[in-house]
């Protein structure tokens, strides 16, 4: 028996065995988790092209037990001179829940986007106008009873482009 024939036979038998086990429900495959969207993909989907994460502009949304429910990102588009805050879900990703994205602007004050029934992320945009900003976001559980947030607090300095 030639080496090529043995290799083809072995490959065919392996494929047949995997098919048989799969049909019997003994082999399963899994896709990447739904939250596996990259940060840049989430930013582009929520804000549009040419937005970049600012230094100091990333914060996890964590429960008190340390479970990560999402992340909040402060981004900036230099061509448009605009900020965009994205709250990206990790927990409950793909499942409709309430999500909040907010921005504190030095001259404009607080601007918030509060979205109900969001599967992936919420975002808010604001012209930078040469000024600096703080950001925040919240992710709620499906029942709307619990929420955890991330981002700036009053003691954190403003972030500038």
């Amino acid at each position: 028996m030639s080496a090529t024939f043995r290799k083809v036979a072995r490959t065919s038998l392996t494929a047949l065995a995997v098919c048989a086990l799969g049909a019997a429900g003994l082999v399963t495959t899994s896709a990447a988790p739904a939250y596996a969207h990259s940060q840049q993909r989430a930013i582009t989907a929520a804000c549009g092209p040419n937005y970049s994460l600012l230094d100091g502009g990333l914060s996890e949304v964590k429960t008190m037990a340390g479970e990560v429910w999402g992340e909040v990102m402060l981004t900036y588009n230099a061509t448009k001179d605009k900020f965009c805050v994205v709250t990206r879900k990790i927990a409950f990703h793909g499942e409709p829940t309430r999500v909040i994205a907010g921005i504190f602007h030095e001259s404009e004050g607080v601007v918030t986007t509060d979205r109900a029934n969001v599967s992936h992320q919420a975002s808010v945009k604001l012209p930078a106008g040469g000024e600096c900003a703080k950001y925040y976001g919240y992710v709620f559980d499906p029942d709307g009873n619990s929420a955890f947030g991330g981002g700036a607090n009053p003691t954190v300095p403003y972030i500038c482009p």
Side-chain angles (χ1 to χ4, degrees):
M1 191 181 308
S2 75
T4 304
F5 179 77
R6 281 193 301 264
K7 184 175 180 183
V8 170
R10 188 172 48 247
T11 302
S12 297
L13 287 173
T14 301
L16 182 61
V18 168
C19 289
L21 290 172
L26 299 174
V27 172
T28 60
T29 60
S30 62
Y35 67 83
H37 302 307
S38 71
Q39 286 178 349
Q40 191 57 51
R41 184 173 169 192
I43 290 167
T44 301
C47 303
N50 304 317
Y51 280 84
S52 300
L53 186 63
L54 290 172
D55 286 341
L58 175 64
S59 179
E60 289 184 322
V61 175
K62 285 187 175 183
T63 67
M64 290 194 261
E67 182 182 352
V68 178
W69 278 19
E71 57 188 10
V72 188
M73 299 169 278
L74 176 60
T75 67
Y76 178 72
N77 182 319
T79 304
K80 294 182 178 184
D81 190 34
K82 279 190 174 182
F83 290 115
C84 181
V85 175
V86 180
T87 303
R88 177 174 76 135
K89 291 170 48 173
I90 292 174
F92 318 114
H93 186 93
E95 185 176 352
T97 68
R98 184 177 172 199
V99 179
I100 295 174
I103 188 167
F104 297 101
H105 190 269
E106 285 181 313
S107 65
E108 296 293 322
V110 179
V111 178
T112 302
T113 297
D114 187 348
R115 299 277 189 238
N117 300 320
V118 174
S119 296
H120 302 283
Q121 71 251 340
S123 65
V124 61
K125 291 183 193 176
L126 185 68
E131 297 194 31
C132 303
K134 294 182 181 187
Y135 65 102
Y136 66 94
Y138 292 89
V139 175
F140 289 74
D141 71 0
D143 297 328
N145 297 326
S146 297
F148 292 96
N153 64 53
T155 63
V156 174
Y158 281 88
I159 297 171
C160 302

